[in-house]
Amino acid sequence: MNVHDSEKVVGTLVSEGYRQVETVEEAGLVLYNTCSIRDRPNKKSSNRLNDYKKYQKQGKKFGVLGCVAQQEGEKIFDRAPFVSLVCGSASYRNLPQMLIQIEAGKSRVTGLDDRETDECFETEFTSRTNPYRGYITIIEGCDKFCAYCVVPYTRGKERSRSAASVLTEARQMADLGYTEIQLLGQNVNSYKDPSSTKTFAELLAAVGEVGGIRRVRFTTSHPRDFGRDIVDAIDAVPTLCDHVHLPVQSGSTRTLDAMQRLYTRDQYLERVMWIRAAKREISLTSDMIVGFPGETEPDFEETLSLLGQVGFDAVFGFKYSPRPNTPSLALDDAIPDEEKARRLNVLLERQRDIQRSSYQRHIGKIVEVMVEREERGTCAMERAHKPEHNSEFYRSWRSRTSRGRLHRVMVTGSFPNSLWVQWWNSGEKKMEVEMKIRWTHDGPSHEYAHRHSKGRWQRTLSCRYGWAFTRRIASRSRLRK
């Protein structure tokens, strides 16, 4: 979500006359998009702000965007007096007007009042970082209020875009040459069309039927709202990828109740049964939290037993991290960090054992992959179908292909976290090049910068995406009218 939020912020600023520059050193205004879902990225955000303090003497201005901004609000000004802008994600559509205030000399500008808004951040101008795969946010916010989660407090209430606007954006992407779309939402399957014309499953199928789109994904699903109709849609529409990411968080009904997850272990297993009964083999991945307050050893053993019962293709495990304003802060019986670390290691090792065995079932299968990027003489690729979840292939530089192309490969070997595959051409004839597939999980923060020098404002992103923008004075004058 943060990645796509950043893409939309970038696109919005470009539409107002900004263009890219290269480095933070060139910038005059730095905007830092933050995440507070766990304690670690939150601390990284604080450390990065401290790193930027050294640029204050150069006359640069600073702003904080995203969940940390909404969570801490004007306290950021007290902790980092050099910051001029604090803006939560629900206020991104107002960023151009906020920047005008900073340009006019206002030292502290906030956008923190829209958590109850019914509006989504929609823009025709999205600066997508991948020329073949693109994101579409269909629902923002969350109404679930899990005991450990800050999202309802930082992202606001659930609000959905109309199905018509989503399909219009999907068609525009197809016209631009995009072949893969990923539908996004904090709880993507909680989607409710404001015009009451389509359910989430119907919208998912409709996006999959857009001409030119080869693959459609969606994330993240909440088990409470996961219906059989989603599985039926995957079965019926070939372009929908054979993958469901369905976070369970715990295998213990008692712990799930304490987490306020709104389902039981048996109800989760019922949804797994729907997925396993599909006509297509659907890959299933999940998230799990260990060390939630009050989680006993028997509760943890139930989580381990769920791994074996379900047979996930991948699990992303985390230690419980106390977050501000969440109900779990009031719970007794906190688990020591050493015990949380032990449980996480046990969980991940048990899952690796399962993957060592289960990945062997793919050997000999022919699957379709997309070339993603070149890296140090290799080319990263993603599977189009089984086992699906954000997995990457690496091929030798000796084999020539092009980014964005779909190719068929045969799985030739398996390891705990990866598969080896081999080119397979249309004539069913093997080629000598081998590739490796591994599971990945995205979640970066992003930062931006602007510079006011010689009549220009410039903006840059110093981390891996390299976004940067310049806007001339004429554009600023036009915005003030």
Side-chain angles (χ1 to χ4, degrees), residues 233-272:
I234 294 174
D235 266 341
V237 183
T239 54
L240 303 188
C241 289
D242 304 341
H243 171 239
V244 171
H245 185 66
L246 196 62
V248 63
Q249 307 302 3
S250 174
S252 163
T253 294
R254 194 185 75 86
T255 302
L256 290 171
D257 183 60
M259 289 179 169
Q260 299 175 193
R261 286 291 288 173
L262 307 178
Y263 56 85
T264 65
R265 175 188 175 112
D266 288 342
Q267 288 171 332
Y268 185 87
L269 288 172
E270 180 183 31
R271 285 142 180 79
V272 172

mmCIF file of all heavy atoms in Angstrom, residues 233-272:
data_model
loop_
_atom_site.group_PDB
_atom_site.id
_atom_site.type_symbol
_atom_site.label_atom_id
_atom_site.label_comp_id
_atom_site.label_asym_id
_atom_site.label_seq_id
_atom_site.Cartn_x
_atom_site.Cartn_y
_atom_site.Cartn_z
ATOM 1 N N ALA A 233 -14.516 -17.376 -8.539
ATOM 2 C CA ALA A 233 -14.001 -16.438 -9.542
ATOM 3 C C ALA A 233 -12.636 -16.880 -10.051
ATOM 4 O O ALA A 233 -12.360 -16.828 -11.258
ATOM 5 C CB ALA A 233 -13.923 -15.034 -8.945
ATOM 6 N N ILE A 234 -11.752 -17.319 -9.137
ATOM 7 C CA ILE A 234 -10.431 -17.801 -9.549
ATOM 8 C C ILE A 234 -10.562 -19.003 -10.465
ATOM 9 O O ILE A 234 -9.839 -19.133 -11.470
ATOM 10 C CB ILE A 234 -9.578 -18.138 -8.312
ATOM 11 C CG1 ILE A 234 -9.279 -16.870 -7.511
ATOM 12 C CG2 ILE A 234 -8.267 -18.822 -8.719
ATOM 13 C CD1 ILE A 234 -8.563 -17.116 -6.194
ATOM 14 N N ASP A 235 -11.499 -19.884 -10.157
ATOM 15 C CA ASP A 235 -11.735 -21.048 -11.010
ATOM 16 C C ASP A 235 -12.238 -20.647 -12.395
ATOM 17 O O ASP A 235 -11.878 -21.254 -13.405
ATOM 18 C CB ASP A 235 -12.773 -21.973 -10.363
ATOM 19 C CG ASP A 235 -12.137 -23.082 -9.537
ATOM 20 O OD1 ASP A 235 -10.940 -23.356 -9.746
ATOM 21 O OD2 ASP A 235 -12.832 -23.654 -8.683
ATOM 22 N N ALA A 236 -13.063 -19.604 -12.443
ATOM 23 C CA ALA A 236 -13.756 -19.268 -13.683
ATOM 24 C C ALA A 236 -12.954 -18.373 -14.616
ATOM 25 O O ALA A 236 -13.161 -18.412 -15.837
ATOM 26 C CB ALA A 236 -15.096 -18.593 -13.351
ATOM 27 N N VAL A 237 -12.053 -17.549 -14.070
ATOM 28 C CA VAL A 237 -11.348 -16.552 -14.891
ATOM 29 C C VAL A 237 -9.867 -16.909 -14.952
ATOM 30 O O VAL A 237 -9.144 -16.772 -13.957
ATOM 31 C CB VAL A 237 -11.534 -15.128 -14.303
ATOM 32 C CG1 VAL A 237 -10.854 -14.095 -15.202
ATOM 33 C CG2 VAL A 237 -13.016 -14.809 -14.142
ATOM 34 N N PRO A 238 -9.371 -17.359 -16.094
ATOM 35 C CA PRO A 238 -7.984 -17.853 -16.192
ATOM 36 C C PRO A 238 -6.926 -16.818 -15.840
ATOM 37 O O PRO A 238 -5.829 -17.180 -15.405
ATOM 38 C CB PRO A 238 -7.866 -18.268 -17.671
ATOM 39 C CG PRO A 238 -9.265 -18.510 -18.119
ATOM 40 C CD PRO A 238 -10.112 -17.536 -17.357
ATOM 41 N N THR A 239 -7.210 -15.530 -16.002
ATOM 42 C CA THR A 239 -6.206 -14.513 -15.725
ATOM 43 C C THR A 239 -6.017 -14.247 -14.235
ATOM 44 O O THR A 239 -5.052 -13.581 -13.849
ATOM 45 C CB THR A 239 -6.581 -13.185 -16.415
ATOM 46 O OG1 THR A 239 -7.905 -12.831 -16.030
ATOM 47 C CG2 THR A 239 -6.486 -13.311 -17.921
ATOM 48 N N LEU A 240 -6.917 -14.722 -13.380
ATOM 49 C CA LEU A 240 -6.740 -14.560 -11.942
ATOM 50 C C LEU A 240 -5.692 -15.547 -11.461
ATOM 51 O O LEU A 240 -5.819 -16.752 -11.676
ATOM 52 C CB LEU A 240 -8.057 -14.782 -11.198
ATOM 53 C CG LEU A 240 -9.234 -13.891 -11.608
ATOM 54 C CD1 LEU A 240 -10.402 -14.088 -10.650
ATOM 55 C CD2 LEU A 240 -8.825 -12.425 -11.651
ATOM 56 N N CYS A 241 -4.644 -15.050 -10.815
ATOM 57 C CA CYS A 241 -3.541 -15.896 -10.392
ATOM 58 C C CYS A 241 -4.002 -16.917 -9.355
ATOM 59 O O CYS A 241 -4.883 -16.647 -8.537
ATOM 60 C CB CYS A 241 -2.406 -15.047 -9.819
ATOM 61 S SG CYS A 241 -1.523 -14.103 -11.071
ATOM 62 N N ASP A 242 -3.340 -18.078 -9.379
ATOM 63 C CA ASP A 242 -3.696 -19.171 -8.475
ATOM 64 C C ASP A 242 -3.070 -18.943 -7.108
ATOM 65 O O ASP A 242 -2.243 -19.730 -6.643
ATOM 66 C CB ASP A 242 -3.179 -20.512 -9.027
ATOM 67 C CG ASP A 242 -3.682 -20.784 -10.426
ATOM 68 O OD1 ASP A 242 -4.667 -20.174 -10.829
ATOM 69 O OD2 ASP A 242 -3.062 -21.614 -11.111
ATOM 70 N N HIS A 243 -3.460 -17.871 -6.450
ATOM 71 C CA HIS A 243 -2.844 -17.565 -5.161
ATOM 72 C C HIS A 243 -3.798 -16.781 -4.274
ATOM 73 O O HIS A 243 -4.480 -15.868 -4.745
ATOM 74 C CB HIS A 243 -1.570 -16.739 -5.353
ATOM 75 C CG HIS A 243 -1.024 -16.213 -4.065
ATOM 76 N ND1 HIS A 243 -0.853 -14.868 -3.820
ATOM 77 C CD2 HIS A 243 -0.634 -16.837 -2.931
ATOM 78 C CE1 HIS A 243 -0.366 -14.693 -2.608
ATOM 79 N NE2 HIS A 243 -0.237 -15.872 -2.036
ATOM 80 N N VAL A 244 -3.839 -17.157 -3.010
ATOM 81 C CA VAL A 244 -4.581 -16.413 -1.990
ATOM 82 C C VAL A 244 -3.654 -16.196 -0.805
ATOM 83 O O VAL A 244 -3.085 -17.154 -0.276
ATOM 84 C CB VAL A 244 -5.845 -17.165 -1.532
ATOM 85 C CG1 VAL A 244 -6.471 -16.462 -0.317
ATOM 86 C CG2 VAL A 244 -6.861 -17.276 -2.667
ATOM 87 N N HIS A 245 -3.479 -14.941 -0.408
ATOM 88 C CA HIS A 245 -2.757 -14.631 0.824
ATOM 89 C C HIS A 245 -3.809 -14.355 1.886
ATOM 90 O O HIS A 245 -4.544 -13.368 1.808
ATOM 91 C CB HIS A 245 -1.842 -13.425 0.636
ATOM 92 C CG HIS A 245 -0.989 -13.156 1.843
ATOM 93 N ND1 HIS A 245 -0.012 -14.031 2.260
ATOM 94 C CD2 HIS A 245 -0.991 -12.128 2.736
ATOM 95 C CE1 HIS A 245 0.570 -13.554 3.354
ATOM 96 N NE2 HIS A 245 -0.011 -12.404 3.675
ATOM 97 N N LEU A 246 -3.897 -15.232 2.882
ATOM 98 C CA LEU A 246 -4.973 -15.181 3.871
ATOM 99 C C LEU A 246 -4.372 -15.232 5.275
ATOM 100 O O LEU A 246 -4.184 -16.304 5.852
ATOM 101 C CB LEU A 246 -5.929 -16.357 3.652
ATOM 102 C CG LEU A 246 -7.301 -16.282 4.319
ATOM 103 C CD1 LEU A 246 -8.094 -15.096 3.786
ATOM 104 C CD2 LEU A 246 -8.081 -17.577 4.085
ATOM 105 N N PRO A 247 -4.041 -14.074 5.851
ATOM 106 C CA PRO A 247 -3.384 -14.055 7.161
ATOM 107 C C PRO A 247 -4.246 -14.684 8.250
ATOM 108 O O PRO A 247 -5.395 -14.280 8.450
ATOM 109 C CB PRO A 247 -3.179 -12.553 7.421
ATOM 110 C CG PRO A 247 -3.178 -11.935 6.058
ATOM 111 C CD PRO A 247 -4.165 -12.731 5.272
ATOM 112 N N VAL A 248 -3.675 -15.647 8.963
ATOM 113 C CA VAL A 248 -4.403 -16.306 10.053
ATOM 114 C C VAL A 248 -3.998 -15.734 11.407
ATOM 115 O O VAL A 248 -4.784 -15.671 12.336
ATOM 116 C CB VAL A 248 -4.193 -17.834 10.017
ATOM 117 C CG1 VAL A 248 -2.739 -18.197 10.233
ATOM 118 C CG2 VAL A 248 -5.085 -18.538 11.033
ATOM 119 N N GLN A 249 -2.739 -15.360 11.559
ATOM 120 C CA GLN A 249 -2.130 -14.748 12.748
ATOM 121 C C GLN A 249 -1.917 -15.721 13.899
ATOM 122 O O GLN A 249 -0.904 -15.644 14.586
ATOM 123 C CB GLN A 249 -2.932 -13.529 13.230
ATOM 124 C CG GLN A 249 -3.194 -12.476 12.169
ATOM 125 C CD GLN A 249 -1.953 -11.901 11.520
ATOM 126 O OE1 GLN A 249 -0.830 -12.296 11.798
ATOM 127 N NE2 GLN A 249 -2.147 -10.980 10.595
ATOM 128 N N SER A 250 -2.831 -16.667 14.141
ATOM 129 C CA SER A 250 -2.647 -17.658 15.208
ATOM 130 C C SER A 250 -3.494 -18.886 14.904
ATOM 131 O O SER A 250 -4.539 -18.775 14.250
ATOM 132 C CB SER A 250 -3.037 -17.074 16.563
ATOM 133 O OG SER A 250 -2.987 -18.072 17.580
ATOM 134 N N GLY A 251 -3.046 -20.043 15.392
ATOM 135 C CA GLY A 251 -3.824 -21.264 15.232
ATOM 136 C C GLY A 251 -4.687 -21.572 16.430
ATOM 137 O O GLY A 251 -5.395 -22.580 16.465
ATOM 138 N N SER A 252 -4.653 -20.703 17.428
ATOM 139 C CA SER A 252 -5.409 -20.899 18.663
ATOM 140 C C SER A 252 -6.649 -20.019 18.666
ATOM 141 O O SER A 252 -6.545 -18.792 18.558
ATOM 142 C CB SER A 252 -4.541 -20.561 19.876
ATOM 143 O OG SER A 252 -5.323 -20.359 21.034
ATOM 144 N N THR A 253 -7.821 -20.628 18.809
ATOM 145 C CA THR A 253 -9.053 -19.850 18.867
ATOM 146 C C THR A 253 -9.041 -18.893 20.059
ATOM 147 O O THR A 253 -9.520 -17.760 19.970
ATOM 148 C CB THR A 253 -10.265 -20.788 18.949
ATOM 149 O OG1 THR A 253 -10.370 -21.528 17.716
ATOM 150 C CG2 THR A 253 -11.555 -20.004 19.155
ATOM 151 N N ARG A 254 -8.481 -19.320 21.173
ATOM 152 C CA ARG A 254 -8.402 -18.456 22.348
ATOM 153 C C ARG A 254 -7.574 -17.205 22.051
ATOM 154 O O ARG A 254 -7.958 -16.087 22.402
ATOM 155 C CB ARG A 254 -7.785 -19.225 23.528
ATOM 156 C CG ARG A 254 -7.956 -18.542 24.882
ATOM 157 C CD ARG A 254 -7.216 -19.301 25.969
ATOM 158 N NE ARG A 254 -5.778 -19.086 25.892
ATOM 159 C CZ ARG A 254 -5.159 -18.055 26.473
ATOM 160 N NH1 ARG A 254 -5.853 -17.161 27.149
ATOM 161 N NH2 ARG A 254 -3.855 -17.926 26.369
ATOM 162 N N THR A 255 -6.434 -17.392 21.385
ATOM 163 C CA THR A 255 -5.595 -16.252 21.029
ATOM 164 C C THR A 255 -6.256 -15.390 19.963
ATOM 165 O O THR A 255 -6.188 -14.153 20.020
ATOM 166 C CB THR A 255 -4.216 -16.727 20.548
ATOM 167 O OG1 THR A 255 -3.600 -17.513 21.574
ATOM 168 C CG2 THR A 255 -3.313 -15.561 20.206
ATOM 169 N N LEU A 256 -6.907 -16.022 18.999
ATOM 170 C CA LEU A 256 -7.616 -15.254 17.973
ATOM 171 C C LEU A 256 -8.690 -14.373 18.592
ATOM 172 O O LEU A 256 -8.901 -13.236 18.165
ATOM 173 C CB LEU A 256 -8.244 -16.199 16.945
ATOM 174 C CG LEU A 256 -7.280 -16.925 16.012
ATOM 175 C CD1 LEU A 256 -8.024 -17.975 15.198
ATOM 176 C CD2 LEU A 256 -6.571 -15.938 15.079
ATOM 177 N N ASP A 257 -9.356 -14.891 19.610
ATOM 178 C CA ASP A 257 -10.380 -14.096 20.296
ATOM 179 C C ASP A 257 -9.727 -12.911 21.015
ATOM 180 O O ASP A 257 -10.242 -11.783 20.969
ATOM 181 C CB ASP A 257 -11.136 -14.974 21.289
ATOM 182 C CG ASP A 257 -12.262 -14.216 21.984
ATOM 183 O OD1 ASP A 257 -13.167 -13.728 21.281
ATOM 184 O OD2 ASP A 257 -12.219 -14.104 23.220
ATOM 185 N N ALA A 258 -8.589 -13.138 21.661
ATOM 186 C CA ALA A 258 -7.885 -12.037 22.339
ATOM 187 C C ALA A 258 -7.394 -11.004 21.334
ATOM 188 O O ALA A 258 -7.331 -9.806 21.627
ATOM 189 C CB ALA A 258 -6.713 -12.588 23.145
ATOM 190 N N MET A 259 -7.035 -11.470 20.136
ATOM 191 C CA MET A 259 -6.593 -10.564 19.076
ATOM 192 C C MET A 259 -7.746 -9.802 18.423
ATOM 193 O O MET A 259 -7.516 -8.895 17.627
ATOM 194 C CB MET A 259 -5.863 -11.355 17.983
ATOM 195 C CG MET A 259 -4.506 -11.898 18.367
ATOM 196 S SD MET A 259 -3.812 -12.835 16.958
ATOM 197 C CE MET A 259 -2.125 -13.078 17.517
ATOM 198 N N GLN A 260 -8.987 -10.201 18.720
ATOM 199 C CA GLN A 260 -10.183 -9.619 18.107
ATOM 200 C C GLN A 260 -10.181 -9.802 16.583
ATOM 201 O O GLN A 260 -10.496 -8.882 15.827
ATOM 202 C CB GLN A 260 -10.303 -8.127 18.478
ATOM 203 C CG GLN A 260 -10.427 -7.884 19.967
ATOM 204 C CD GLN A 260 -10.424 -6.427 20.373
ATOM 205 O OE1 GLN A 260 -10.289 -6.091 21.538
ATOM 206 N NE2 GLN A 260 -10.576 -5.513 19.402
ATOM 207 N N ARG A 261 -9.853 -11.039 16.181
ATOM 208 C CA ARG A 261 -9.761 -11.334 14.754
ATOM 209 C C ARG A 261 -11.108 -11.680 14.122
ATOM 210 O O ARG A 261 -11.224 -11.805 12.906
ATOM 211 C CB ARG A 261 -8.772 -12.478 14.521
ATOM 212 C CG ARG A 261 -7.328 -12.083 14.687
ATOM 213 C CD ARG A 261 -6.874 -11.146 13.584
ATOM 214 N NE ARG A 261 -6.729 -11.817 12.306
ATOM 215 C CZ ARG A 261 -6.476 -11.197 11.150
ATOM 216 N NH1 ARG A 261 -6.404 -9.883 11.112
ATOM 217 N NH2 ARG A 261 -6.348 -11.889 10.036
ATOM 218 N N LEU A 262 -12.139 -11.919 14.905
ATOM 219 C CA LEU A 262 -13.515 -12.088 14.420
ATOM 220 C C LEU A 262 -13.753 -13.413 13.703
ATOM 221 O O LEU A 262 -14.690 -13.538 12.919
ATOM 222 C CB LEU A 262 -13.918 -10.923 13.497
ATOM 223 C CG LEU A 262 -13.723 -9.512 14.066
ATOM 224 C CD1 LEU A 262 -14.103 -8.465 13.031
ATOM 225 C CD2 LEU A 262 -14.538 -9.339 15.341
ATOM 226 N N TYR A 263 -12.911 -14.417 13.945
ATOM 227 C CA TYR A 263 -13.137 -15.759 13.431
ATOM 228 C C TYR A 263 -12.425 -16.743 14.350
ATOM 229 O O TYR A 263 -11.574 -16.372 15.166
ATOM 230 C CB TYR A 263 -12.637 -15.911 11.988
ATOM 231 C CG TYR A 263 -11.181 -15.568 11.805
ATOM 232 C CD1 TYR A 263 -10.164 -16.508 12.038
ATOM 233 C CD2 TYR A 263 -10.795 -14.295 11.405
ATOM 234 C CE1 TYR A 263 -8.834 -16.182 11.896
ATOM 235 C CE2 TYR A 263 -9.463 -13.955 11.261
ATOM 236 C CZ TYR A 263 -8.483 -14.907 11.510
ATOM 237 O OH TYR A 263 -7.163 -14.583 11.370
ATOM 238 N N THR A 264 -12.791 -18.026 14.226
ATOM 239 C CA THR A 264 -12.164 -19.089 15.000
ATOM 240 C C THR A 264 -11.237 -19.905 14.109
ATOM 241 O O THR A 264 -11.227 -19.738 12.886
ATOM 242 C CB THR A 264 -13.217 -20.023 15.599
ATOM 243 O OG1 THR A 264 -13.899 -20.700 14.515
ATOM 244 C CG2 THR A 264 -14.246 -19.243 16.422
ATOM 245 N N ARG A 265 -10.491 -20.789 14.729
ATOM 246 C CA ARG A 265 -9.626 -21.699 13.959
ATOM 247 C C ARG A 265 -10.464 -22.511 12.979
ATOM 248 O O ARG A 265 -10.108 -22.654 11.803
ATOM 249 C CB ARG A 265 -8.877 -22.622 14.919
ATOM 250 C CG ARG A 265 -8.026 -23.693 14.215
ATOM 251 C CD ARG A 265 -7.474 -24.683 15.222
ATOM 252 N NE ARG A 265 -6.751 -25.792 14.598
ATOM 253 C CZ ARG A 265 -5.447 -25.992 14.696
ATOM 254 N NH1 ARG A 265 -4.709 -25.156 15.404
ATOM 255 N NH2 ARG A 265 -4.867 -27.028 14.099
ATOM 256 N N ASP A 266 -11.601 -23.043 13.440
ATOM 257 C CA ASP A 266 -12.443 -23.860 12.567
ATOM 258 C C ASP A 266 -13.005 -23.053 11.401
ATOM 259 O O ASP A 266 -13.118 -23.575 10.275
ATOM 260 C CB ASP A 266 -13.590 -24.481 13.370
ATOM 261 C CG ASP A 266 -13.126 -25.596 14.291
ATOM 262 O OD1 ASP A 266 -12.006 -26.110 14.075
ATOM 263 O OD2 ASP A 266 -13.874 -25.957 15.231
ATOM 264 N N GLN A 267 -13.357 -21.803 11.645
ATOM 265 C CA GLN A 267 -13.863 -20.967 10.553
ATOM 266 C C GLN A 267 -12.764 -20.684 9.531
ATOM 267 O O GLN A 267 -13.031 -20.638 8.319
ATOM 268 C CB GLN A 267 -14.434 -19.664 11.123
ATOM 269 C CG GLN A 267 -15.743 -19.851 11.864
ATOM 270 C CD GLN A 267 -16.182 -18.604 12.607
ATOM 271 O OE1 GLN A 267 -15.358 -17.785 13.026
ATOM 272 N NE2 GLN A 267 -17.492 -18.440 12.787
ATOM 273 N N TYR A 268 -11.542 -20.489 10.000
ATOM 274 C CA TYR A 268 -10.433 -20.310 9.065
ATOM 275 C C TYR A 268 -10.230 -21.585 8.239
ATOM 276 O O TYR A 268 -10.063 -21.527 7.014
ATOM 277 C CB TYR A 268 -9.141 -19.970 9.815
ATOM 278 C CG TYR A 268 -7.982 -19.665 8.895
ATOM 279 C CD1 TYR A 268 -7.781 -18.381 8.408
ATOM 280 C CD2 TYR A 268 -7.105 -20.673 8.500
ATOM 281 C CE1 TYR A 268 -6.724 -18.103 7.541
ATOM 282 C CE2 TYR A 268 -6.049 -20.399 7.639
ATOM 283 C CZ TYR A 268 -5.865 -19.119 7.160
ATOM 284 O OH TYR A 268 -4.822 -18.852 6.297
ATOM 285 N N LEU A 269 -10.272 -22.734 8.900
ATOM 286 C CA LEU A 269 -10.083 -23.999 8.193
ATOM 287 C C LEU A 269 -11.204 -24.256 7.184
ATOM 288 O O LEU A 269 -10.974 -24.907 6.151
ATOM 289 C CB LEU A 269 -9.989 -25.147 9.192
ATOM 290 C CG LEU A 269 -8.693 -25.198 10.005
ATOM 291 C CD1 LEU A 269 -8.787 -26.261 11.096
ATOM 292 C CD2 LEU A 269 -7.500 -25.478 9.092
ATOM 293 N N GLU A 270 -12.397 -23.733 7.455
ATOM 294 C CA GLU A 270 -13.482 -23.856 6.485
ATOM 295 C C GLU A 270 -13.122 -23.125 5.191
ATOM 296 O O GLU A 270 -13.357 -23.635 4.086
ATOM 297 C CB GLU A 270 -14.767 -23.288 7.069
ATOM 298 C CG GLU A 270 -15.962 -23.368 6.118
ATOM 299 C CD GLU A 270 -17.211 -22.721 6.700
ATOM 300 O OE1 GLU A 270 -17.069 -21.751 7.478
ATOM 301 O OE2 GLU A 270 -18.330 -23.184 6.359
ATOM 302 N N ARG A 271 -12.511 -21.963 5.317
ATOM 303 C CA ARG A 271 -12.089 -21.214 4.127
ATOM 304 C C ARG A 271 -10.946 -21.916 3.402
ATOM 305 O O ARG A 271 -10.896 -21.912 2.160
ATOM 306 C CB ARG A 271 -11.709 -19.785 4.543
ATOM 307 C CG ARG A 271 -12.939 -18.932 4.847
ATOM 308 C CD ARG A 271 -12.758 -17.999 6.015
ATOM 309 N NE ARG A 271 -13.971 -17.210 6.259
ATOM 310 C CZ ARG A 271 -15.049 -17.666 6.896
ATOM 311 N NH1 ARG A 271 -15.085 -18.922 7.344
ATOM 312 N NH2 ARG A 271 -16.114 -16.905 7.073
ATOM 313 N N VAL A 272 -10.058 -22.531 4.164
ATOM 314 C CA VAL A 272 -8.996 -23.333 3.548
ATOM 315 C C VAL A 272 -9.608 -24.479 2.747
ATOM 316 O O VAL A 272 -9.153 -24.800 1.641
ATOM 317 C CB VAL A 272 -8.029 -23.865 4.623
ATOM 318 C CG1 VAL A 272 -7.033 -24.850 4.013
ATOM 319 C CG2 VAL A 272 -7.290 -22.706 5.300
#
